[in-house]
Amino acid sequence: MNPSIPPSTAEYGGDEVSAIVLDPGFSTTRAGFAGEDTPKSLIPTYYGKYTSEGQDRLIFSDDVFVTPRPSLSVHNPMGRDGIVEDWDMAEKVWEYSFTSRLTGPRPGNPFQNGLNDIADGELPTEMEGVETEEKPLADSPLLMSECGWNPTKAREKTIEIAMEKWGTPAFYLAKNGVLAAFASGKASALVVDVGASNISVTPVHDGMVLKRGVQHSPLGGDYISSQIRALFKANTPQPITITPHYLISSKTAVDAGQPSQAKYKTFPPGKAPDASYRTLLEERTLSEFKECVVQVWPGPNKLSATGPSGVSNEEVAKSNPGRPFEFPDGYNQVFGLDRYRVVESLFDAKAAIPDTESPFPAPTQAQTVPELIKNALNGVDVDIRPHLLANVVVTGASSLLHGFTDRLNQELMQTYPGPRVRISAPGNTAERKFGSWIGGSILASLGTFHQMWISKKEYEEHGPTIVEKRCK
Amino acid sequence: MAAADVRDMLDLPAEGQPRPHKKQKVVEKRPEGITRELYALLGERAPPIAINENRYKGRPKWMSKLRVRPWRMAPFTNEARSDGLVLHHWQRQGDTVKPALEGPETEGEEQKQDEGAPQTPDQEYLFAKYNVKARVPRRYTDEEYNRHLKSDDWSRQETDYLMDLVEEYDLRWVVIADRYDFQPHPVDAETNNSALVPANQVRTMEHMKARYYFVAASMLALEHPPSEMSEAEFDLHEKMMKFEPERERARKELAALQLERTADAVREEGVLLEELKRITANEQNFIAERRELYSRLEVPISVGNTTMYQSSQGLSQLLQTLLQADKSKKRRSILGPEGAAPSPAAQTPAPNANTRDSRGETPSNAQAAPTNKKAAAAAAANKEAQQSIRTLTPSEEARYGVQHHDRLAPGVQFRSDRAQKLTQAKSNVQTQKLAAALAELEVPLRLVMPTERVCKEFEKLIHSVNLLLDARKVAEKVESEIRVLEAAKQERERKAKEAKEKEKPEVKTEQDDNPAPTADVATESTSAAAAALPSAEGQETAGGTEDKEAEAGSGDTGEATAREGTSQKRSASVLSNTSDKSTKRQKKYLLGINCLCHLLVSACTRNQDDDPQTSIRR
């Protein structure tokens, strides 16, 4: 095929209008141009805040992790349920996500950027019409994603920001469940999204969310982290403490299970960063732990149950070779059965490791993944249930836990032995992590989609309530 | 090479120019890194992949002639939108304009101006044509609603709301049912979403569908009365009018049940389906086999005429006739070296067998030959196997249906035929009688299930019936004789009386004279009875113990009656006494035979009754 000849538009139905797709999540915010296969800009939704020379300063993006500035505190504008709490900061974080990499920074105030320094004695002239040029998204339509249970108020606030603060010519708000279904090429699907703060199950029919079937529970990646912390606390021979890298000045290798021999950094009083900073960096170590060690018991039954051969599943799990993990301070240990136990409560609430200090209350059975799916299916019409079961889309970075889809498949087959259960989970890590962003990228680059945008004109005519009417 | 060298040395002009050229070409084509032998194996065609290319791939020649056609960001509007939103996308500049020779930017700018403007009016946006909406019925007016569409269950507002939703979601009922949230009292949009006001009644999808279909069908009927509708419209109207929400609800309940089956239920269903498949497959086989069997059975059977060939004498006669026929035709080679039986084809022109018979005969013979051979082979093999392995006990033989025959009639014959043959007597009258007797016993003339045992019993029955018929015949004869004799006796007594009245002394002489003829008659009748008796006795032995008992009983009663008779008629004369005795004896026989017949028939019917059971049990 000749690369200089583009494929005919009829072949893929694409028509790119350089739209920007913004997929804000609890842990990370993804942004990129529609039509591309991965988001160009991936930043943590967390931002840092510190005071320097009497001024409040903010740190966005990966810079948050780098320098332990004095009294640096880390915040998140999103609430644990996936709905924005701090709108001002959310706007700033989101704006940073596309201005830093995609559109370029907003030109500074011409009065202060030094280019227009006024010679002494001259009066500044009024500049009319400059305002519109300054908006960061003046020539890119914006497609944003939202969770399935986003309240109307939040949706209206979102379009307000996009239209008035960012000046986008056209805007659309799509549910991330729908987008994830599009990313795997399905218009009707049951989307299981395992994110950092939430697990959500969204039935999608013909590209529309069935609201009565939408289910979510807080057993996301952060919950698994809290389970790992509980495990570390109860660890024998001694509890494991996680010391992030920034506190380690040097370390020496030790044998497995031996106490670490590391030199720690100390901060002079008043110079140390906030506790939230340490938590954030511990979280990074924990996600490494999740990637390397944690494994979901693949089934066919619960971990606590007995297998078909009469041997209990725990025994089988124990006999599997363990996985070693070295912590930043040099302490290392091999994790056997425990690496299954930390995620078992996603499927079996009774298997949760109890921890009184955890911010997460003990999960109920209704919050586990199979129950969520069951409830979601019970909320939709019986005629489409078999079809949804045949199109289960698994997405979200936490679904990359080793063995997650196998277990989910087993659970669904057990709950619904009759209909055909088919799970479609992309094997590619990026496609799983950015599922909803990729769906947005596909949607916003479709020629047929361009009639769906809410244009600036329409917004001015109807006000923010138009989002409820148009983005169904 | 040598020739070239010689030419070179002799300074001759080189004329064999093309030859080395050719060789060189071949060598050039061979890529490096591949041996000559291997290359030769590849043949004429080039290898499918480039094995060793050290050059960059050049542009194809046709590309160098092309001019670069610039792309530019062009604005466009979408006709599917009502607000005229202008978006920008990349478009190839040379699409409509011929490749511009002037390169400078300013020229391009100008072109963009006059190209961007005309694009919108004359060229419709490519994807606007996909903007299609579902066809929903025309909205009713107030008057129409009040006249046709009023419902107790649905208010006007709610109907409006439903119609709006249907239009909005393009008849996607799943979504409509999901989003349906009718508020009877209009409330602010804000409170609407934050505080969930429970709807006064839950509308299921079936309710909505029923209402919508009713409205839509009514509107359709209002537009065109059903008599004027086109076929498609009428179908639609019918379909919508016939929507049954109750049935739909029941169907969905069943679907939910089906979805929530347990693993055991699913497994069982799978097993049952598998079983069903197997059964239907077997049934097909069975039907096919049965059909084949019937088609074989339906071949016309010629009973009478094959019998003459079943004896060895008849066969040899047939052979003779055939040989003669051959000789007359001067064809000698009919008997092969193996001495095989004449082929059915050769058999057909046999002069003494008429064509019809031969036709009936040939297939059976043709089938018989191989089956016989096979059977013989199988029997031989069986014998060997039996000898080598084990001998069957009688019970096993009965179970496997193994039979031993003293003499086997040649050819294949049906057991039912044999049973059938028994019902045919020599005379027509006799046959009819036989049939009547069987009909009286409710035994069908043609056996329903001619198993081995049934046939045996049937044979016995026929035998008994024959006996019965014979006995009856004899009885009738004897009775008539008795009647004649009694008439003669009365005559004689009357005469004797008259004579006594005339002259008494003569009586004695008459008494002396008379015994001779009566004794004759008596011996005659007894001999006749005796002729019947042995056969009856023979039959009795075959008939079994019951019959014997019956016979004994009848004998007793006969004796008793005889005694009674004698005691009663003591007073009678000696002459009458002797004749009486003979008649009494005859009567005794008759009585006995009648009883016997009766019992026989009852036994036979019992047998007949038993047999189907036994055959079923088998």
Side-chain angles (χ1 to χ4, degrees):
Chain A
M1 198 175 132
N2 189 350
S4 66
I5 298 171
S8 90
T9 43
E11 272 175 37
Y12 67 108
D15 186 14
E16 290 173 23
V17 293
S18 68
I20 282 176
V21 179
L22 178 62
D23 179 24
F26 178 79
S27 169
T28 58
T29 298
R30 285 79 66 176
F33 283 111
E36 291 174 352
D37 58 355
T38 39
K40 269 214 169 78
S41 163
L42 170 67
I43 62 161
T45 311
Y46 293 94
Y47 65 93
K49 202 172 177 183
Y50 68 102
T51 324
S52 153
E53 298 162 2
Q55 270 191 322
D56 277 351
R57 305 242 172 160
L58 297 173
I59 311 175
F60 297 113
S61 180
D62 294 335
D63 301 347
V64 178
F65 304 118
V66 182
T67 325
R69 296 172 199 273
S71 72
L72 172 69
S73 60
V74 174
H75 308 270
N76 193 328
M78 303 278 272
R80 284 234 159 256
D81 54 356
I83 295 161
V84 180
E85 279 174 352
D86 184 349
W87 280 102
D88 292 340
M89 286 317 296
E91 183 200 329
K92 281 183 182 142
V93 172
W94 294 347
E95 192 179 318
Y96 182 87
S97 74
F98 53 81
T99 49
S100 61
R101 298 271 169 87
L102 307 176
T103 60
R106 182 210 301 227
N109 190 336
F111 293 124
Q112 287 158 11
N113 63 6
L115 296 174
N116 297 320
D117 275 354
I118 314 151
D120 287 340
E122 256 182 75
L123 281 172
T125 49
E126 278 302 314
M127 291 169 76
E128 291 294 330
V130 173
E131 222 52 32
T132 49
E133 300 305 316
E134 282 178 7
K135 303 260 169 88
L137 276 179
D139 43 33
S140 299
L142 177 68
L143 173 75
M144 271 186 77
S145 75
E146 57 168 355
C147 57
W149 53 95
N150 211 15
T152 314
K153 260 191 171 175
R155 308 182 81 195
E156 285 172 1
K157 182 78 184 163
T158 314
I159 190 174
E160 222 175 289
I161 291 172
M163 285 291 178
E164 289 172 13
K165 301 271 176 64
W166 298 337
T168 178
F171 177 79
Y172 195 80
L173 195 57
K175 304 259 190 259
N176 50 20
V178 177
L179 297 183
F182 285 161
S184 51
K186 297 173 196 299
S188 301
L190 187 71
V191 181
V192 180
D193 186 346
V194 192
S197 66
N198 274 302
I199 295 179
S200 70
V201 178
T202 320
V204 180
H205 177 75
D206 263 4
M208 273 183 265
V209 166
L210 299 179
K211 280 180 183 166
R212 290 181 195 182
V214 176
Q215 300 282 331
H216 69 280
S217 82
L219 308 187
D222 288 351
Y223 166 77
I224 299 169
S225 299
S226 81
Q227 286 282 297
I228 298 171
R229 281 173 199 270
L231 174 76
F232 287 173
K233 241 183 251 173
N235 189 48
T236 51
Q238 72 264 32
I240 301 169
T241 47
I242 310 161
T243 318
H245 283 285
Y246 80 99
L247 287 172
I248 309 290
S249 120
S250 72
K251 63 176 179 183
T252 48
V254 292
D255 282 341
Q258 295 306 307
S260 72
Q261 294 170 345
K263 280 181 189 160
Y264 299 102
K265 273 185 193 160
T266 48
F267 292 93
K271 295 281 181 190
D274 195 66
S276 58
Y277 180 74
R278 179 175 175 149
T279 315
L280 181 69
L281 288 192
E282 277 176 8
E283 206 63 42
R284 271 165 79 86
T285 306
L286 285 179
S287 44
E288 197 187 331
F289 184 81
K290 280 187 257 182
E291 285 162 11
C292 304
V293 177
V294 173
Q295 195 171 353
V296 183
W297 170 249
N301 270 315
K302 289 171 183 166
L303 183 61
S304 55
T306 316
S309 55
V311 186
S312 84
N313 285 340
E314 289 196 357
E315 291 297 320
V316 179
K318 251 181 218 166
S319 66
N320 289 351
R323 291 192 185 178
F325 186 76
E326 186 183 320
F327 290 87
D329 57 0
Y331 177 81
N332 62 82
Q333 188 181 331
V334 175
F335 292 88
L337 174 64
D338 288 338
R339 72 175 192 271
Y340 294 102
R341 284 176 56 215
V342 289
V343 278
E344 185 60 18
S345 52
L346 292 193
F347 297 94
D348 180 14
K350 285 183 205 127
I353 304 168
D355 181 13
T356 45
E357 291 164 38
S358 162
F360 293 91
T364 60
Q365 189 63 32
Q367 288 177 330
T368 58
V369 182
E371 284 297 313
L372 285 180
I373 291 177
K374 215 171 173 181
N375 291 338
L377 284 177
N378 286 339
V380 302
D381 193 68
V382 69
D383 284 344
I384 62 164
R385 284 180 208 168
H387 182 71
L388 289 181
L389 275 173
N391 293 285
V392 178
V393 172
V394 177
T395 186
S398 292
S399 74
L400 286 166
L401 284 170
H402 196 274
F404 182 85
T405 47
D406 294 347
R407 177 65 180 276
L408 186 60
N409 195 19
Q410 289 288 355
E411 292 282 339
L412 285 181
M413 299 257 265
Q414 252 170 29
T415 324
Y416 298 97
R420 195 174 62 123
V421 175
R422 197 162 173 189
I423 291 184
S424 84
N428 185 344
T429 326
E431 279 177 35
R432 197 85 75 85
K433 272 181 175 169
F434 309 128
S436 55
W437 185 91
I438 292 170
S441 164
I442 293 169
L443 183 64
S445 62
L446 282 181
T448 43
F449 176 72
H450 299 321
Q451 70 181 64
M452 311 275 286
W453 294 109
I454 300 170
S455 70
K456 190 152 200 147
K457 195 172 156 195
E458 282 169 321
Y459 174 76
E460 276 157 8
E461 211 169 291
H462 298 96
T465 48
I466 194 173
V467 73
E468 230 7 58
K469 228 172 88 191
R470 291 286 293 280
C471 307
K472 300 177 280 209
Chain B
M1 182 169 171
D5 282 342
V6 171
R7 279 208 185 90
D8 199 28
M9 276 185 261
L10 298 177
D11 274 344
L12 282 171
E15 30 173 66
Q17 203 79 322
R19 266 177 115 185
H21 255 280
K22 250 187 189 170
K23 265 188 182 174
Q24 258 184 339
K25 252 186 197 169
V26 172
V27 171
E28 257 180 357
K29 260 186 193 170
R30 183 162 67 85
E32 282 175 40
I34 181 167
T35 57
R36 186 171 50 83
E37 291 84 357
L38 186 58
Y39 188 70
L41 284 177
L42 289 175
E44 294 290 310
R45 281 178 296 167
I49 44 163
I51 292 162
N52 197 355
E53 284 270 319
N54 280 330
R55 285 177 300 140
Y56 288 116
K57 194 180 175 205
R59 276 172 162 250
K61 272 177 195 164
W62 57 270
M63 270 178 92
S64 58
K65 284 178 200 156
L66 290 180
R67 294 185 56 83
V68 172
R69 286 183 299 168
W71 290 71
R72 62 186 178 77
M73 201 69 163
F76 69 95
T77 54
N78 189 341
E79 286 76 32
R81 297 188 66 95
S82 55
D83 60 346
L85 171 72
V86 178
L87 293 168
H88 299 258
H89 59 182
W90 287 103
Q91 214 173 22
R92 180 159 249 177
Q93 197 168 4
D95 271 355
T96 46
V97 187
K98 296 212 165 57
L101 287 171
E102 53 281 287
E105 262 288 281
T106 47
E107 301 279 344
E109 288 286 303
E110 272 180 24
Q111 263 185 1
K112 195 194 272 179
Q113 291 298 335
D114 35 69
E115 201 187 322
Q119 186 256 336
T120 30
D122 62 330
Q123 197 184 330
E124 196 180 284
Y125 181 56
L126 188 61
F127 296 99
K129 65 181 175 199
Y130 297 114
N131 182 31
V132 284
K133 281 298 240 177
R135 211 159 52 98
V136 287
R138 182 176 61 88
R139 200 51 82 83
Y140 39 79
T141 61
D142 286 352
E143 192 199 344
E144 277 167 350
Y145 183 87
N146 289 332
R147 202 190 294 165
H148 300 285
L149 303 174
K150 267 204 168 166
S151 158
D152 295 336
D153 198 19
W154 290 78
S155 64
R156 171 72 198 259
Q157 284 85 10
E158 198 169 1
T159 310
D160 286 347
Y161 177 76
L162 174 70
M163 299 307 276
D164 286 343
L165 268 189
V166 167
E167 203 173 337
E168 191 177 345
Y169 292 112
D170 293 336
L171 284 164
R172 287 184 187 97
W173 286 106
V174 177
V175 182
I176 293 167
D178 183 67
R179 304 290 168 90
Y180 194 89
D181 185 23
F182 178 69
Q183 307 292 327
H185 310 293
V187 272
D188 293 355
E190 287 184 11
T191 51
N192 184 353
N193 283 287
S194 53
L196 273 171
V197 182
N200 54 352
Q201 70 191 117
V202 179
R203 296 271 187 216
T204 63
M205 191 195 290
E206 287 74 48
H207 287 146
M208 297 174 210
K209 273 187 179 173
R211 178 64 176 166
Y212 172 78
Y213 289 147
F214 173 71
V215 171
S218 307
M219 293 310 294
L220 198 65
L222 277 181
E223 252 173 70
H224 309 283
S227 54
E228 292 171 21
M229 279 182 195
S230 71
E231 201 172 317
E233 273 177 337
F234 187 73
D235 280 353
L236 186 66
H237 181 259
E238 283 294 294
K239 240 180 237 170
M240 290 199 288
M241 286 308 272
K242 279 179 185 159
F243 180 75
E244 291 173 50
E246 258 319 292
R247 200 170 150 189
E248 187 73 359
R249 194 188 52 73
R251 183 187 69 78
K252 284 197 175 165
E253 268 173 19
L254 283 179
L257 279 181
Q258 157 89 359
L259 194 72
E260 259 136 48
R261 284 172 303 172
T262 60
D264 285 342
V266 172
R267 212 172 304 129
E268 196 181 327
E269 191 192 279
V271 169
L272 284 179
L273 281 178
E274 204 51 36
E275 192 82 346
L276 180 68
K277 215 185 279 172
R278 200 175 58 77
I279 286 170
T280 46
N282 275 359
E283 204 181 359
Q284 290 294 327
N285 279 348
F286 182 70
I287 286 170
E289 275 172 20
R290 167 178 276 194
R291 189 171 299 135
E292 197 194 318
L293 196 64
Y294 275 138
S295 65
R296 281 192 189 185
L297 283 176
E298 271 161 16
V299 171
I301 305 154
S302 56
V303 185
N305 285 303
T306 47
T307 47
M308 63 179 289
Y309 301 115
Q310 277 173 2
S311 64
S312 60
Q313 205 180 355
L315 269 180
S316 61
Q317 200 186 338
L318 179 67
L319 192 66
Q320 287 279 316
T321 51
L322 285 174
L323 280 175
Q324 268 176 4
D326 268 358
K327 264 179 196 164
S328 64
K329 283 180 187 172
K330 314 239 165 178
R331 244 190 261 157
R332 288 178 182 189
S333 58
I334 188 119
L335 268 175
E338 299 99 325
S343 71
Q347 211 172 333
T348 27
N352 59 349
N354 64 35
T355 47
R356 195 173 164 179
D357 281 349
S358 64
R359 202 185 303 143
E361 194 175 79
T362 36
S364 66
N365 269 5
Q367 281 165 11
T371 45
N372 257 356
K373 263 185 197 168
K374 253 184 219 167
N382 212 12
K383 215 178 245 174
E384 274 180 20
Q386 268 185 12
Q387 278 169 355
S388 61
I389 300 166
R390 60 172 178 159
T391 50
L392 293 172
T393 64
S395 66
E396 276 173 332
E397 276 184 3
R399 200 198 310 160
Y400 299 132
V402 178
Q403 293 172 11
H404 301 283
H405 299 273
D406 294 340
R407 216 177 102 235
L408 272 175
V412 170
Q413 47 189 333
F414 287 106
R415 201 186 286 137
S416 59
D417 279 353
R418 220 160 53 193
Q420 195 67 28
K421 224 185 288 172
L422 287 173
T423 58
Q424 247 101 46
K426 270 160 204 152
S427 73
N428 219 1
V429 183
Q430 186 75 1
T431 312
Q432 276 173 5
K433 274 183 181 166
L434 205 59
L438 285 176
E440 201 182 323
L441 297 174
E442 290 178 0
V443 176
L445 208 59
R446 197 182 177 100
L447 287 177
V448 182
M449 191 74 81
T451 61
E452 178 75 29
R453 281 176 65 185
V454 171
C455 278
K456 243 180 215 166
E457 295 297 332
F458 188 72
E459 217 171 298
K460 268 185 215 163
L461 175 69
I462 294 291
H463 206 83
S464 311
V465 170
N466 275 332
L467 268 180
L468 169 70
L469 289 176
D470 284 351
R472 205 183 268 165
K473 215 195 245 159
V474 170
E476 272 168 14
K477 204 173 157 191
V478 168
E479 241 175 286
S480 68
E481 270 177 17
I482 288 169
R483 235 175 285 132
V484 169
L485 280 176
E486 271 183 347
K489 185 183 153 199
Q490 276 176 359
E491 186 74 10
R492 229 180 291 135
E493 275 178 352
R494 198 169 45 85
K495 274 182 184 168
K497 236 181 221 169
E498 283 169 9
K500 224 191 253 172
E501 282 166 9
K502 282 178 186 172
E503 36 184 346
K504 276 189 176 173
E506 277 181 11
V507 174
K508 269 184 182 175
T509 53
E510 266 188 25
Q511 268 182 338
D512 287 328
D513 289 340
N514 266 335
T518 45
D520 278 348
V521 173
T523 46
E524 250 181 48
S525 60
T526 44
S527 68
L533 205 62
S535 65
E537 267 169 4
Q539 173 250 332
E540 275 158 18
T541 48
T545 50
E546 282 176 325
D547 297 357
K548 270 183 183 165
E549 276 172 17
E551 201 257 352
S554 68
D556 280 348
T557 48
E559 270 173 16
T561 46
R563 232 175 283 134
E564 264 180 76
T566 45
S567 60
Q568 273 174 1
K569 293 182 180 167
R570 268 287 144 82
S571 55
S573 64
V574 180
L575 179 127
S576 68
N577 203 9
T578 49
S579 65
D580 253 339
K581 254 186 188 167
S582 70
T583 49
K584 284 282 147 61
R585 243 176 97 189
Q586 283 165 357
K587 265 189 182 165
K588 187 183 99 180
Y589 276 125
L590 266 180
L591 205 70
I593 285 165
N594 271 337
C595 280
L596 188 73
C597 290
H598 189 74
L599 284 167
L600 260 181
V601 166
S602 67
C604 284
T605 44
R606 215 179 302 133
N607 276 344
Q608 192 72 14
D609 286 344
D610 283 350
D611 272 334
Q613 287 175 7
T614 54
S615 62
I616 287 167
R617 235 178 284 140
R618 277 167 66 190

